[in-house]
Amino acid sequence: MEAGAIITTIVFALIFVCGLVFCFMKAGIGGKWED
Amino acid sequence: MAELTRERWTSRTTFLFAAIGSAIGLGNIWRFPYLAYDNGGGAFLVAWIIGLLALGIPWLLMEFGMGRMFQRGAPGVFASIGKKWEWLGWWAVFVAFLIVTYYTVIIAWSLRYAISSVTMAWGTGEEGAAGTADFFFGDILQLSGGPGELGGIVWLTLGMLALVWIVLFFIMYKGANVIGRVAVFVVTIPWIILVALLVRGLTLPGAVDGLNFYLSPDWSALLTGDIWFAALSQIAFTLSVGMAGMYAYGSFIAKKADVNNNAFITGFANNATSFFAGFAVFSTLGFLASALNVPVPEVAASGLGLAFITYPAGISMMPAGGAFIGVLFFLCLVFLGLGSAFFLAHGGVSAPLRDKFGGGLTKVTALVCLAAFLVGIVFTTQGGLYWLDMIDRAVAFYGLLITGALSCIVIGWFWKPKLLRDHVNETSDFKIGVWWEWIIKLVLPVGIIFVLIYGGFMVDIPEAYEGYQIGPLNGSHVVWIVLVVTLILSFVLGRLKTRKEGGE
C-alpha cells in the first residue's frame, strides 16, 4: 500500500476507535450502561 | 396519558442497534466507497468527518431530542411547536413513505441476486464478468426503453417484494419491542459478513491497488466545491435524518434515558461501518481490475451499478468461493436494507399516523405495509428503474434536504432550541453547549442549502433529470410534481383533526 493510504487508514481507524471508546466510557451517568 | 401507552425500547442497547440499523444501509456499501475514491480519497474522509461532527450528529441529536421531548413522531413534534408547522412533519412522512416503497424493491432485487449467486446465474470467468450488465438489465429488470414505457410486471421481483413486506410486517406489528430485538441481528450480521468479504478481498491479487485508489489522499480536492458537496450530501443521506423516523425513534426513548451520547455513538458507528465497507468493496474492485488487466478507475462504480453489475463481475472472476461470497454480499444488502426499511415504515410512517389518528398497532402496520407494497408495484415493472430513479431524486434528495433545512430553521428561529438543549442535557451522559444551537440555527441550514443548490437545482433546472422524457414532461418535471403534490397533501393532513390524547 502507498504511504498516504496507510496513514489515512491508521488516522481514521484511530478516530473511530477513540471516538467510540470515549462515548462508551461516558455511557451511564451513574457508571451504568442501561438507563 | 399517551406517554403511558407509548411504545418503548426495551433497553438502551436495543435502541442503539435500531438507530444504527436505520442509519447504516445500502449507501454505506455502494455510495460511500465510490465517493471517497472519486473525491480525493483521504482528503474526502477529512471533509466527511467534519460533516459528521458539524452537521450529522447535531442533526441526529435534534431529531432524537425533539422526539423524546414531545413524545411524538415528526408531525406531532412540529404540531407541538405550533399547529401551523405540522405540515412540515407530514412532508417528511411522505418522504419516508415514498423511499420505503422503492427501497423494498431494491431489497427484492438483492434477494433475487442472493439466490442467483448460488448457481452464478450471470456466468463465470471473463465471459460471466462481461455479461453482468446484460443479466441485471435483461434478466432481472427486463428493462424497457424509457419511463414512458412501463411494460409488464416482473413477477419474480413482485413475489420477492411481497415476501419482503410480509417479513417487515412481522417485524413491525408489535412495535419497538420486537424492532429493537430484530435490529440487533440486522446490524451484527452485516458487520460479520463485511469482515468475511474483507478477508476474502484482501487475499485476492490486486486488492492493494484498489485500496490505494480508495484511500490515497489528494489534498487539492479540499479546495473544490465537489468534495464538500459529496461529503455533506453523504452525511445527510447516510444518517437517516430528514425522513421523519428519527423523531419517532427518539420518542420511544425512556424519559430518563440519554440522548446526546446515543447520537454520537450512532453517528460514529455509522461512519465507521462505511469506512470499513470501503475496504471490502475496493479490495474486490482492485482484484477485478487486476484480473481484467484494466486500471481500477475503469471498474470503479457506485449505486446499483456497483451492487448488481461490478461486484457480480468481481465474483465471476474469483478463483474460488465466488458463489459463497456472492450469497454473503447480497444477504448483507438484504439485512442492511431491512434495518432501514422497518425504520422508514414504522418510525417514518406508522408511528406518526397512530399519533394523529390512533388505531391499533397491528391494523396501522398492516395498512402501511399494504399501501407501500401497492405503490411499490410500479417499481417492479419493466420501466420501474426509471421511475425509481426519478422518485429517489424527488424524495431522497430534494424532499429530505428541503424538509431537513426547514426543520432546522423552524426549530432554530421560530422556537427555542435552548429548551431542547436543556431537556437533553438533563439526562444525558455529557452535556452539549450553546454551540449546538448555532449549528441548528446557521450551520445546518447553510450546509443543506449549499448541497441543494450545488448538486440539485444547478443541475436539474437547466437540464432534464437524466434526460428522461415522458410525453410532454421530462425527468425534472416529474421531480417537481412529486414535491408539490406531497407538499399539498402534507398541508391537508396537517389541517385534519388530531385524535384526543390517549384515545384510539
Side-chain angles (χ1 to χ4, degrees):
Chain A
M1 262 171 100
E2 290 169 9
I6 293 171
I7 293 168
T8 303
T9 304
I10 294 169
V11 168
F12 282 91
L14 278 174
I15 288 173
F16 289 121
V17 170
C18 294
L20 285 167
V21 166
F22 173 81
C23 289
F24 282 108
M25 282 174 67
K26 285 277 183 186
I29 293 168
K32 288 182 288 186
W33 168 247
E34 298 296 349
D35 300 287
Chain B
M1 185 69 179
E3 287 168 21
L4 294 175
T5 56
R6 194 157 191 82
E7 298 168 47
R8 289 275 176 245
W9 301 109
T10 51
S11 67
R12 183 175 186 173
T13 307
T14 54
F15 163 67
L16 267 175
F17 272 101
I20 294 168
S22 62
I24 61 171
L26 303 174
N28 295 61
I29 289 193
W30 77 25
R31 190 168 189 269
F32 167 78
Y34 180 83
L35 282 183
Y37 144 77
D38 199 35
N39 289 280
F44 171 83
L45 298 184
V46 172
W48 175 69
I49 282 287
I50 292 172
L52 175 71
L53 295 172
L55 269 73
I57 290 174
W59 191 350
L60 200 53
L61 206 155
M62 178 186 86
E63 296 201 355
F64 283 162
M66 292 297 280
R68 214 275 296 262
M69 186 168 177
F70 291 108
Q71 294 290 294
R72 290 283 181 279
V77 162
F78 286 98
S80 301
I81 292 176
K83 182 69 180 166
K84 63 184 173 189
W85 301 116
E86 187 180 332
W87 61 272
L88 182 53
W90 286 112
W91 207 8
V93 169
F94 278 109
V95 167
F97 178 74
L98 287 174
I99 290 176
V100 80
T101 60
Y102 64 78
Y103 209 78
T104 43
V105 175
I106 298 172
I107 301 172
W109 292 338
S110 303
L111 267 175
R112 290 192 60 189
Y113 262 88
I115 295 165
S116 300
S117 295
V118 176
T119 56
M120 306 270 279
W122 54 85
T124 54
E126 278 194 45
E127 201 181 320
T132 52
D134 288 342
F135 181 77
F136 180 54
F137 295 121
D139 293 31
I140 298 289
L141 300 182
Q142 300 172 25
L143 193 64
S144 68
E149 192 186 320
L150 270 187
I153 289 171
V154 180
W155 294 103
L156 260 175
T157 303
L158 183 67
M160 288 298 173
L161 181 65
L163 179 65
V164 169
W165 276 111
I166 290 168
V167 170
L168 285 172
F169 170 77
F170 281 106
I171 293 173
M172 297 189 299
Y173 86 105
K174 287 203 169 174
N177 188 11
V178 173
I179 285 175
R181 290 164 206 253
V182 174
V184 175
F185 292 97
V186 300
V187 171
T188 47
I189 292 172
W191 279 344
I192 293 166
I193 292 177
L194 281 174
V195 171
L197 295 178
L198 174 66
V199 170
R200 183 66 188 116
L202 288 179
T203 55
L204 293 166
V208 170
D209 294 337
L211 296 184
N212 284 335
F213 273 92
Y214 168 45
L215 295 164
S216 291
D218 170 13
W219 300 112
S220 64
L222 282 170
L223 300 174
T224 66
D226 286 353
I227 189 174
W228 293 100
F229 163 70
L232 300 187
S233 65
Q234 177 62 14
I235 288 298
F237 303 146
T238 191
L239 291 174
S240 292
V241 282
M243 303 176 187
M246 286 302 188
Y247 292 96
Y249 269 27
S251 75
F252 304 152
I253 303 177
K255 273 284 186 184
K256 289 183 181 173
D258 169 275
V259 173
N260 300 348
N261 200 3
N262 286 344
F264 274 81
I265 293 173
T266 305
F268 274 121
N270 172 73
N271 278 32
T273 305
S274 294
F275 181 60
F276 190 79
F279 287 85
V281 168
F282 265 87
S283 57
T284 306
L285 292 184
F287 156 72
L288 177 62
S290 156
L292 296 175
N293 207 16
V294 296
V296 174
E298 225 169 274
V299 296
S302 71
L304 297 173
L306 171 73
F308 298 123
I309 298 172
T310 310
Y311 205 89
I315 292 167
S316 292
M317 298 299 290
M318 283 183 189
F324 181 62
I325 292 295
V327 173
L328 282 185
F329 176 75
F330 290 109
L331 282 181
C332 183
L333 295 187
V334 169
F335 282 110
L336 288 174
L338 283 176
S340 300
F342 60 68
F343 156 78
L344 290 163
H346 187 75
V349 186
S350 295
L353 284 175
R354 290 187 69 230
D355 287 345
K356 177 85 177 177
F357 302 110
L361 189 53
T362 308
K363 193 170 82 178
V364 174
T365 303
L367 281 173
V368 169
C369 289
L370 184 65
F373 169 70
L374 292 175
V375 174
I377 292 174
V378 173
F379 308 115
T380 67
T381 61
Q382 292 170 322
L385 180 66
Y386 304 112
W387 285 91
L388 187 155
D389 196 16
M390 287 185 286
I391 301 296
D392 178 61
R393 184 67 167 173
V395 290
F397 183 84
Y398 287 105
L400 183 158
L401 294 173
I402 294 171
T403 57
L406 289 176
S407 302
C408 294
I409 291 168
V410 168
I411 291 168
W413 296 98
F414 294 91
W415 190 63
K416 292 174 183 161
K418 187 176 183 309
L419 292 178
L420 177 62
R421 189 162 66 84
D422 292 341
H423 174 79
V424 293
N425 279 347
E426 203 176 314
T427 57
S428 290
D429 294 334
F430 52 79
K431 299 186 190 321
I432 48 165
V434 73
W435 55 267
W436 174 83
E437 290 178 37
W438 286 103
I439 285 182
I440 298 302
K441 284 180 170 185
L442 278 180
V443 180
L444 258 167
V446 169
I448 296 171
I449 290 167
F450 161 72
V451 173
L452 258 176
I453 294 173
Y454 190 85
F457 295 124
M458 280 172 64
V459 179
D460 294 333
I461 289 177
E463 286 179 30
Y465 178 62
E466 293 292 335
Y468 294 140
Q469 200 68 41
I470 313 110
L473 301 175
N474 66 37
S476 295
H477 294 144
V478 173
V479 169
W480 312 138
I481 289 169
V482 170
L483 284 173
V484 171
V485 169
T486 51
L487 177 62
I488 292 169
L489 290 173
S490 305
F491 274 107
V492 172
L493 276 170
R495 291 189 67 83
L496 293 180
K497 198 177 170 192
T498 305
R499 69 170 176 133
K500 284 183 182 171
E501 290 269 309
E504 280 293 297

